[in-house]
Amino acid sequence: MRVKICGITQSEQAIAIARHGATHLGFICVPQSPRYLTPAAIAEITNALDAAGVVTKTVGVFADATLEEMGAIARQANLSHIQLHGQESLEQCQQLLAEIPSIFLIKAIRVRTAADLVLAETYAPYVDALLLDAYHPDQLGGTGLTLDWDALVSFRPTCPWMLAGGLTPENVSTALSTLGPDGIDLSSGVEHQPGVKDLALVRHLFEQLRPWLPISAEL
Ligand SMILES: O=C(O)c1ccccc1N[C@@H]1O[C@H](COP(=O)(O)O)[C@@H](O)[C@H]1O
């Protein structure tokens, strides 16, 4: 079980959240987002994690960025993972892995209809993991909207997958027992305001996750 907390903007919160048990910390590299961080700001946080001796995966979240941009930011900000949250094609995923083989690639699909689940499965051979998020007409992510979990019960791609979209400490147990994803991803459900996490909610989340321990970062 992997637990990604996304939309981190502060070093102290990053360290505290990783110490609570997050296996992955997500940084938003989409300039339109209220959670956006510059590459230099992400680098400051990843350096602070290193200095504190905290080991965690660091995920840059992009939407329709160029390969060059992503490569440069991944290097500058010391990212282990890239999450593609836009309309990136299969070919772009293949290209990214060919050009940056050391990166772990997560393709996010925003699910509106059953066809999107079929689409998601087509990416499985070309990425390291899939992530399902809720669809919103005007926002790419961090929406707080949940997916229709009933529609996902038979979703079994050939690669690991993570569930995102409106997860909270209150609904996460139900999501895990209903769907059995390989990982979960939360942002607004553990937040005071965009980018400012509520550490009491993060603690509550990890209490709820105890039955699913041990949490493993191997993804
Ligand atoms: O959080 C954002 O602002 C964001 C912007 C652009 C692309 C993705 C973004 N976040 C992703 O949204 C889900 C979590 O959302 P929720 O608030 O828990 O419903 C997660 O995958 C983030 O990486």
Side-chain angles (χ1 to χ4, degrees), residues 138-212:
D138 305 316
Q139 280 171 252
L140 280 175
T143 64
L145 296 175
T146 46
L147 289 103
D148 173 7
W149 294 345
D150 289 341
L152 304 185
V153 284
S154 52
F155 184 65
R156 296 278 179 277
T158 56
C159 69
W161 73 282
M162 300 183 79
L163 178 68
L167 294 175
T168 67
E170 302 310 324
N171 67 14
V172 74
S173 303
T174 309
L176 285 169
S177 46
T178 310
L179 302 175
D182 300 290
I184 50 171
D185 181 5
L186 295 87
S187 184
S188 56
V190 287
E191 244 175 17
H192 282 299
Q193 62 188 72
V196 183
K197 301 301 169 194
D198 180 329
L199 295 182
L201 283 179
V202 173
R203 188 165 43 247
H204 185 31
L205 170 73
F206 283 97
E207 283 162 8
Q208 298 304 305
L209 291 176
R210 262 192 214 135
W212 281 274

Side-chain angles (χ1 to χ4, degrees), residues 4 6 28 30 33-35 61 83 85 131 133 140-145 164-167 185-189:
K4 171 170 169 261
C6 203
I28 303 296
V30 180
S33 167
R35 302 176 183 86
V61 178
Q83 176 178 321
H85 220 94
L131 182 150
D133 192 10
L140 280 175
T143 64
L145 296 175
L167 294 175
D185 181 5
L186 295 87
S187 184
S188 56

Side-chain angles (χ1 to χ4, degrees), residues 51 58 68 73:
T58 51
E68 292 70 26
I73 293 173

